[in-house]
Amino acid sequence: MGQCVTKCKNPSSTLGSKNGERESGSKSHSKRSAVHKDDHPSVCGKSSGDILVNGTKKTDAAVESSQPPTFSGDAKKDAVSSAEESSLQRIGELFRRYKDEREDAILEEGMERFCNDLCVDPTEFKVLVLAWKFQAATMCKFTRKEFFEGCKAINADSIDGICARFPSLLNEAKQEDKFKDLYRFTFQFGLDSEEGQRSLHREIAIALWKLVFTQNKPPILDQWLHFLIENPSGIKGISRDTWNMFLNFTQVIGPDLSNYSEDEAWPSLFDTFVEWEMERRKKEEETKCIIASSDTEGLCMEEQT
């Protein structure tokens, strides 16, 4: 997988100017100029060279001329407005590059090309984070509004600009409050809004749990996903409440599940999981003991012979 490199080109130009007039090489001309000097004073002021025509000292004038030009509030607003307009134009060009020919949105094919240009796989955590910042309502789709508002939210209007923002976006997703928002967004993102779904299909939920916990995987996650995979008939779907509460579960309940209580207000699926997992661990320990016992008996028989 390649790397995206931000290329910035800031061409600059300098302006030069020539002040004063060229001196004549003729001595006689210099003398004539000296004779008529008082009759025709220079633009800068009197012949003494210290005072300007307006009475200002040369030193003061020099300080004033060295000050940078100031802009009025309207000029600043115009400059900002012009920059924003240019940025919106670039976002529009970027959107048109990937949008569908029939629908005013970036769909699956355009999304693949978009991700390819970003040097990311569509199933990567980075793409989920980007969808979160764009507040995308549906997988594999960016509407015009989502794309424009998303690009403005991350302050990027080009492929290189978006690539450059990925590190800060990933760091943002590590913050507890931001991750909670990302986690809750992921559930809604996984629903099929056109079908009016209210719960996630089990397979989709498993895939999204693996994805959203890419940067901070909880110790109990593997056991939880194993439970969901091993019990397909008993789990029709994952509700929003179950999804949201699982984050609390990972933060409160220890890996050994010893502090879990059915008396607390956990979803019933968690009760089933804890019971199933504790039974699985018990059988695993019994199996280990049987194997260890068999090895010991075998060793004893070898010693006797």
Side-chain angles (χ1 to χ4, degrees), residues 243-258:
W243 176 274
N244 291 340
M245 290 297 288
F246 182 71
L247 180 59
N248 297 346
F249 183 89
T250 63
Q251 296 169 339
V252 175
I253 306 302
D256 61 359
L257 305 175
S258 60

Side-chain angles (χ1 to χ4, degrees), residues 103-171:
E103 187 173 344
D104 193 31
I106 298 175
L107 303 183
E108 187 172 354
E109 183 180 343
M111 193 69 73
E112 289 182 1
R113 289 188 286 110
F114 180 52
C115 291
N116 184 60
D117 289 347
L118 288 172
C119 306
V120 296
D121 189 279
T123 60
E124 272 190 67
F125 179 65
K126 288 181 181 178
V127 179
L128 176 63
V129 173
L130 193 63
W132 166 55
K133 298 303 291 186
F134 281 26
Q135 287 298 291
T138 307
M139 283 186 179
C140 300
K141 179 179 180 179
F142 285 148
T143 65
R144 176 181 289 271
K145 181 179 179 181
E146 290 169 351
F147 192 83
F148 271 74
E149 294 300 321
C151 285
K152 288 193 292 183
I154 66 174
N155 194 26
D157 54 22
S158 66
I159 289 296
D160 287 341
I162 296 173
C163 285
R165 292 286 290 137
F166 274 137
S168 62
L169 294 178
L170 294 180
N171 285 330

Side-chain angles (χ1 to χ4, degrees), residues 182-240:
L182 168 62
Y183 180 82
R184 296 199 169 195
F185 161 83
T186 303
F187 177 86
Q188 185 65 39
F189 184 61
L191 295 177
D192 190 332
S193 57
E194 295 181 356
E195 293 185 4
Q197 281 185 339
R198 301 184 64 180
S199 62
L200 289 174
H201 290 304
R202 184 176 57 91
E203 296 81 2
I204 296 295
I206 291 173
L208 289 177
W209 260 314
K210 290 179 180 179
L211 184 61
V212 75
F213 282 117
T214 296
Q215 293 192 134
N216 53 345
K217 180 180 176 181
I220 200 65
L221 181 63
D222 287 339
Q223 288 84 354
W224 168 251
L225 297 182
H226 181 55
F227 161 72
L228 296 179
I229 294 171
E230 291 295 316
N231 295 272
S233 58
I235 304 172
K236 296 180 180 180
I238 301 298
S239 67
R240 186 185 300 272

Side-chain angles (χ1 to χ4, degrees), residues 6-123:
T6 304
K7 300 179 181 178
C8 299
K9 297 182 180 179
N10 297 313
S12 59
S13 61
T14 57
L15 298 177
S17 61
K18 296 182 179 179
N19 297 323
E21 298 179 354
R22 187 183 303 169
E23 293 183 356
S24 172
S26 171
K27 294 181 179 180
S28 60
H29 180 73
S30 298
K31 290 179 180 179
R32 287 196 300 272
S33 298
V35 171
H36 299 288
K37 193 171 186 181
D38 292 336
D39 296 334
H40 303 283
S42 67
V43 176
C44 294
K46 296 182 180 180
S47 59
S48 63
D50 294 330
I51 305 298
L52 299 182
V53 173
N54 62 2
T56 305
K57 290 184 179 181
K58 273 189 175 182
T59 54
D60 295 339
V63 171
E64 291 177 0
S65 64
S66 65
Q67 297 296 325
T70 58
F71 299 95
S72 65
D74 291 339
K76 288 182 179 179
K77 290 180 180 179
D78 290 342
V80 172
S81 178
S82 178
E84 290 179 348
E85 185 176 347
S86 298
S87 181
L88 286 175
Q89 289 178 354
R90 289 191 290 272
I91 294 173
E93 293 172 359
L94 193 62
F95 178 76
R96 287 190 293 273
R97 188 188 306 177
Y98 304 107
K99 74 177 288 293
D100 187 69
E101 294 180 358
R102 299 180 180 179
E103 187 173 344
D104 193 31
I106 298 175
L107 303 183
E108 187 172 354
E109 183 180 343
M111 193 69 73
E112 289 182 1
R113 289 188 286 110
F114 180 52
C115 291
N116 184 60
D117 289 347
L118 288 172
C119 306
V120 296
D121 189 279
T123 60

Side-chain angles (χ1 to χ4, degrees), residues 219-220 253-260 274 277-278 281:
I220 200 65
I253 306 302
D256 61 359
L257 305 175
S258 60
N259 61 332
Y260 182 82
V274 172
E277 176 62 15
M278 297 302 287
R281 293 181 185 184

